[in-house]
Amino acid sequence: MIAEFASYRSWIAWVPIASLLAMPLLFRRIPVVSLAMVGAFVGFVAISLTMPLGSNAEQLGANVALGLVGGAAIGALLGAAVVGWHRRTTPVDASVTVVGYAVGAGLIGALVGGFAPSILARQPPDLNVAVILLVAVGGGLGWSIGAVTGWWAARSAPPPERTQRWVLSVAAAGIALTGASIVASIQDRSFGPSIDGMSRWDRQHLALIAALYCLNTAIAVLTLVAVAVRSSGPPATSQIPAEGSPLPAV
């Protein structure tokens, strides 16, 4: 699918992916995270279009790692410089915590699912149907666990403001569009040159893989919608004078 994205020539085909740029806006008050996400996106696009380490499937893992990690590192360094120049004074709202935990845990789950088979088998990373399936399982479980953990951690955080709610809505739409394009690519078997042949096992599991990505997309969208409509934390308890204490003056 990454190779399929890289082969796009029409700007319309890039709309679902580019719409995910709304995600860094969610973390605009945390420049290190926000610019790291932008850098990872730019690095992903640049590496996908150039493939400096080779276009073979065996080299795809190294290409993607170089683009994502390199771009994220450069973006994080720029964000650290911004933090040193302009420090944040306002507290982050609940959406930043919830989405931050979900994205972080989801990325870890997807990386484990994508690279664990090649590491255990001591083989170069390869993109195949089994890896796509494991990425869906690991990423979905990671996102779900992170969202639940973040929701608990942000139980006393302030709710998102109106601008943040709009950004959450745009990000949810971007995730929905990207997820729909991925599911359509799986159903059409449009994996690009990275997967030039499929076994019987691969063809039998395509419907399951498409369903998993559809489920993951729905979970991610519902997470953003839920945190967008989330109200403030539990109200503070009223101050009731203790017995024998003087009443406040009116």
Side-chain angles (χ1 to χ4, degrees):
M1 283 176 291
I2 295 175
E4 185 72 12
F5 288 152
S7 66
Y8 286 162
R9 294 295 180 266
S10 172
W11 66 271
I12 298 177
W14 280 97
V15 169
I17 308 174
S19 61
L20 291 179
L21 286 175
M23 291 296 291
L25 293 177
L26 294 175
F27 303 94
R28 62 190 181 278
R29 294 181 179 175
I30 309 178
V32 173
V33 177
S34 179
L35 292 181
M37 296 178 71
V38 173
F41 175 83
V42 174
F44 164 75
V45 173
I47 291 295
S48 298
L49 294 176
T50 59
M51 289 294 178
L53 301 181
S55 57
N56 296 330
E58 290 78 12
Q59 294 292 331
L60 190 59
N63 276 308
V64 174
L66 177 63
L68 292 177
V69 177
I74 295 175
L77 290 176
L78 293 175
V82 172
V83 171
W85 175 66
H86 180 70
R87 295 186 178 276
R88 177 179 55 87
T89 57
T90 57
V92 296
D93 58 67
S95 65
V96 175
T97 302
V98 175
V99 179
Y101 272 87
V103 171
L107 286 176
I108 294 175
L111 289 174
V112 171
F115 288 96
S118 60
I119 294 175
L120 294 176
R122 297 182 180 180
Q123 298 176 351
D126 192 8
L127 181 63
N128 51 46
V129 175
V131 168
I132 295 174
L133 171 61
L134 293 175
V135 168
V137 174
L141 288 176
W143 179 285
S144 301
I145 294 174
V148 172
T149 304
W151 193 278
W152 180 85
R155 60 191 183 280
S156 59
E161 57 187 10
R162 177 175 298 181
T163 302
Q164 189 77 343
R165 296 180 192 273
W166 278 105
V167 174
L168 286 165
S169 301
V170 174
I175 292 176
L177 288 173
T178 305
S181 65
I182 292 175
V183 172
S185 297
I186 296 173
Q187 292 177 335
D188 295 338
R189 304 181 183 181
S190 302
F191 298 104
S194 300
I195 304 178
D196 52 3
M198 288 186 292
S199 64
R200 181 179 180 182
W201 185 94
D202 295 339
R203 294 190 296 270
Q204 290 176 343
H205 288 79
L206 286 180
L208 172 61
I209 296 173
L212 286 175
Y213 277 95
C214 185
L215 176 62
N216 290 347
T217 300
I219 293 175
V221 171
L222 289 176
T223 301
L224 268 64
V225 171
V227 76
V229 300
R230 172 173 173 156
S231 60
S232 59
T237 57
S238 58
Q239 299 294 331
I240 301 177
E243 184 177 356
S245 60
L247 294 175
V250 179

